[in-house]
Every structure is written in C-alpha cells, then in structure tokens.
Amino acid sequence: MISVGTGIDVGSIGVTTSNNGGLSSDQIAEMARKKIVYVSDDAPPAIKEQAQVFADRVEDVVRFYIDLAKREERGSICQTLRKAGHNDIADFIRRL
C-alpha cells in the first residue's frame, strides 16, 4: 500500500516485465484477472477457495481470447500483405 501525504492511501502498484519482447499471453491474462477478481487473504477458507477457482477460470478465459486476438490480428496482417503482393512476408508472419 502506498500512502500519499497524510493518510491518503492510493493502493498497491504492480509491475510486470519481460525479456526480449512484449508481455506473454499468460502475463497479460494474470494482470487482467487481478483487476477483475480480488481474493482477500482475510476471507473464510471456503469462500477464498471458491473465489480462487473463479479467478483461475477468469484468467483461463482471458488468456484464450488474448491468444485468439493475436491469431486474428496476424491473419489480418497476412491478408493485407498478400493484397499488396508480399506473399513471402505474409507466409513468414503466418508462421509466427
């Protein structure tokens, strides 16, 4: 928890980094899950377990759609390149 001035709490800050490229689908899905579902450490065990199962499912769904969006974007890029006559580059990108 970060405090600003006298008694003003602005919440916690999380930082996610990656090496040699952008964030992975797993990293992005985890970040989204943390914004969508919060599981309190102080919750009763049964509720905490149920909330964690729900949070894990949310993360799985978000990851699926992130991966789908990546594939669809590559497909759109490939089609644009093919229309411009760059089949070789389109094939390279399709294989990524």
Side-chain angles (χ1 to χ4, degrees), residues 26-51:
D26 291 337
Q27 290 171 309
I28 296 169
E30 182 183 0
M31 289 168 44
R33 187 244 325 140
K34 287 179 179 178
K35 292 288 185 180
I36 296 168
V37 180
Y38 173 74
V39 180
S40 174
D41 290 333
D42 300 331
I47 293 173
K48 186 175 180 179
E49 182 180 340
Q50 185 178 18

Side-chain angles (χ1 to χ4, degrees), residues 16-33:
T16 304
T17 62
S18 65
N19 291 325
N20 301 319
L23 298 175
S24 70
S25 296
D26 291 337
Q27 290 171 309
I28 296 169
E30 182 183 0
M31 289 168 44
R33 187 244 325 140

Side-chain angles (χ1 to χ4, degrees), residues 74-95:
R74 280 194 302 270
S76 297
I77 291 168
C78 289
Q79 283 304 106
T80 301
L81 288 167
R82 283 191 177 94
K83 286 180 183 177
H86 301 290
N87 292 332
D88 53 339
I89 297 171
D91 289 339
F92 178 76
I93 289 173
R94 183 184 52 80
R95 288 188 299 267

